[in-house]
Amino acid sequence: AFGALVLALPFVMIVMLYAASRPAIAKFGFGFLTGTSWDPVREDFGALPFIWGTVVSSLIALLLAVPVSLGVAIFLSELCPLKLRRPLGFLVELLAAIPSVVYGFWGIFVMVPWLRETVEPALVKWFGFLPLFRGQPLGFGMLAAGLVLAIMIVPTIASISREVLRAVPDTQREAAQGLGATPWDTIRVAVLPSARSGIVGAIILGLN
């Protein structure tokens, strides 16, 4: 019964979302997802720019955050000295507890000016022949959003991934070392494959 309840809960959520959005679906149809204008006066609404911004900024954040998060998690669970594991792990968890609004204000007042004055002029200079890097450097844009989002999700992904890696049985590490594997080979062959599903879950939770 409890297992069926878990399966039924997403179905109930989908039904409730559809019931609540049915008036908008009846009026705008699928054009709401493909429209590009947002004019409340004329009641003309299109969500494509918002969907596109969410997808692009999320992809940028994942490309930047996942390697860093996995590196932090692997270091804390496998390579870090025992005396430093607890304070460094506490620091990572403390970063995960910072409210998102704080990251947002930091991004506006610190990250955006730095991108506008330093990073984006260099990108325009070296990669201006690509459409993605053309235009006047303003600071505000997908790059800033992706960077701030990446900084926000790194602590969450790193904390959960660290616990997932620590849950891998030590017998697998000992077996790999008994066959002559180096520490990195042990991580790559014995630890990461066993923790793959948990790491994917950590990435999804961090992005949410």
Side-chain angles (χ1 to χ4, degrees), residues 17-33 43 45:
L17 288 173
Y18 175 77
S21 61
R22 187 167 55 182
I25 295 175
K27 184 172 183 178
F28 302 106
F30 288 99
F32 176 76
L33 300 177
E43 295 187 353
F45 302 100

Side-chain angles (χ1 to χ4, degrees), residues 10-71:
F11 177 76
V12 173
M13 293 174 61
I14 293 173
V15 172
M16 295 300 295
L17 288 173
Y18 175 77
S21 61
R22 187 167 55 182
I25 295 175
K27 184 172 183 178
F28 302 106
F30 288 99
F32 176 76
L33 300 177
T34 58
T36 58
S37 63
W38 191 274
D39 190 351
V41 177
R42 299 180 179 179
E43 295 187 353
D44 184 14
F45 302 100
L48 184 60
F50 303 99
I51 297 173
W52 173 258
T54 300
V55 171
V56 173
S57 60
S58 300
L59 289 176
I60 294 175
L62 288 177
L63 290 175
L64 297 174
V66 170
V68 176
S69 302
L70 290 181

Side-chain angles (χ1 to χ4, degrees), residues 9-175:
L9 184 60
F11 177 76
V12 173
M13 293 174 61
I14 293 173
V15 172
M16 295 300 295
L17 288 173
Y18 175 77
S21 61
R22 187 167 55 182
I25 295 175
K27 184 172 183 178
F28 302 106
F30 288 99
F32 176 76
L33 300 177
T34 58
T36 58
S37 63
W38 191 274
D39 190 351
V41 177
R42 299 180 179 179
E43 295 187 353
D44 184 14
F45 302 100
L48 184 60
F50 303 99
I51 297 173
W52 173 258
T54 300
V55 171
V56 173
S57 60
S58 300
L59 289 176
I60 294 175
L62 288 177
L63 290 175
L64 297 174
V66 170
V68 176
S69 302
L70 290 181
V72 172
I74 291 172
F75 175 74
L76 290 178
S77 63
E78 305 293 331
L79 305 174
C80 183
L82 294 177
K83 294 182 179 180
L84 296 178
R85 285 187 180 181
R86 177 168 293 183
L88 290 180
F90 175 77
L91 178 61
V92 172
E93 294 174 357
L94 184 64
L95 292 175
I98 297 177
S100 58
V101 66
V102 176
Y103 284 110
F105 278 110
W106 177 83
I108 293 173
F109 294 108
V110 178
M111 176 74 72
V112 168
W114 176 65
L115 291 175
R116 181 176 59 245
E117 298 171 3
T118 305
V119 177
E120 291 186 354
L123 293 176
V124 172
K125 178 181 178 181
W126 292 103
F127 301 102
F129 60 92
L130 298 174
L132 184 63
F133 298 101
R134 292 176 184 173
Q136 186 70 20
L138 301 176
F140 290 96
M142 289 299 171
L143 181 59
L147 286 173
V148 174
L149 185 60
I151 295 172
M152 289 174 56
I153 66 178
V154 161
T156 302
I157 299 176
S159 299
I160 300 176
S161 298
R162 180 193 61 175
E163 298 301 325
V164 170
L165 293 175
R166 291 175 60 182
V168 176
D170 290 335
T171 54
Q172 295 187 209
R173 299 178 176 86
E174 295 170 357

